[in-house]
Amino acid sequence: MKKVILITGASSGMGKETARKLIQEGHTVYTAARRVEQMQELKTLGGHPIQMDVTNEADIQRVVDTIIQQEGKIDVLWNNAGYGLYGSVEDIPLEQARRQFEVNVFGLASMTQKVVPYMRKAQSGTIINTSSMGGKIYTPMGAWYHASKHAIEGFSDCLRLELAPFNINVVVLEPGIILTEFGDEVLKSLGQFSSAGAYADLTRRLVASTKKTYERGSGSKAAVIANTVLKIVTAKKAKTRYRVGRWAKPLVWLRTYFGDRAFDKLIMSQVQA
């Protein structure tokens, strides 16, 4: 059955690639992002791009109202918008940390609040929240990013219990290393906040490690996420979590079963001089 799907953060990377696939599968796909000019290809394919800032309540309400007016329903909400803020806890200004949560957590929550009433009335729907393997593990200099993704994990688990009586599924997507603009965002924030001072050496090593990972293509293509989201959208009963992409399953497994100290050594071995 073809569905009405809303995707946030669809101007690039996982969101854009998945939107393309879902449109090709015949679904009605609305894509929301600040950079609407980067979604014109999706419009050509038959999608419906809308400009939206996920931190702007009025923008979110306008997008939801538009879809309901045109389609009468929203079957699937994929809360995908987000970015990675990297730098030491000591160096990153709290206003930047707050913005990380405004985008990654509160934007997701606001989107959810505005869509749920329509799903609840229909007694049907699926909400997909993009967490990360970073919602289960941790890396140096990523405290605020990881904190936001850990928050999404807990938020989604509680939401799943609340919405189950209304036949609304809540699914957590936990990507591993995916070859998108994420690496560029990490490098940009590291250069901005911690390239000098007490954490300069660790920052230098982390920059080198990040560049090596993305320049060598040591990750999965966004197509693995597109295929997974399609599976979730079409499943009769989707799983509560989907952990996909390079390193997602093994790193979370190591974190879970080997404990903190062993995982600390493993992670730091990847950023040695």
Side-chain angles (χ1 to χ4, degrees), residues 208-223:
S209 175
T210 302
K211 286 182 177 179
K212 184 187 299 183
T213 296
Y214 283 88
E215 288 173 0
R216 290 183 177 180
S218 301
S220 299
K221 294 181 178 180

Side-chain angles (χ1 to χ4, degrees), residues 1 15 20 31 49 53 71 77 86 117 122 127 133-134 145 162 173 178 193 196-197 204-205 236 252 255 258 261 265:
M1 185 175 74
R20 187 183 296 117
T31 55
D53 182 341
E71 309 295 339
L77 167 63
Y86 267 68
I127 297 171
M133 68 175 178
Y145 170 71
E162 294 174 16
L173 184 62
I178 308 297
F193 297 115
R204 177 187 59 78
R205 289 184 278 125
K236 288 186 177 180
V252 174
R255 168 70 180 88
F258 278 68
R261 298 301 183 191
K265 291 179 180 178

Side-chain angles (χ1 to χ4, degrees), residues 120-217:
R120 182 167 44 76
K121 184 177 179 181
Q123 292 286 296
S124 176
T126 297
I127 297 171
I128 306 169
N129 290 334
T130 298
S131 175
S132 165
M133 68 175 178
K136 296 290 191 184
I137 65 168
Y138 49 90
T139 56
M141 314 291 273
W144 292 113
Y145 170 71
H146 287 285
S148 73
K149 293 303 183 179
H150 278 69
I152 288 172
E153 295 277 341
F155 176 92
S156 300
D157 286 336
C158 295
L159 185 67
R160 182 177 68 252
L161 298 179
E162 294 174 16
L163 298 185
F166 306 109
N167 197 36
I168 301 171
N169 299 315
V170 178
V171 178
V172 181
L173 184 62
E174 298 174 337
I177 297 176
I178 308 297
L179 299 176
T180 65
E181 295 178 354
F182 181 84
D184 294 333
E185 293 175 351
V186 169
L187 293 172
K188 181 180 178 180
S189 60
L190 282 171
Q192 181 179 358
F193 297 115
S194 294
S195 60
Y199 304 92
D201 182 59
L202 177 57
T203 298
R204 177 187 59 78
R205 289 184 278 125
L206 187 58
V207 165
S209 175
T210 302
K211 286 182 177 179
K212 184 187 299 183
T213 296
Y214 283 88
E215 288 173 0
R216 290 183 177 180

Side-chain angles (χ1 to χ4, degrees), residues 216-229:
R216 290 183 177 180
S218 301
S220 299
K221 294 181 178 180
V224 302
I225 300 298
N227 292 334
T228 301
V229 173

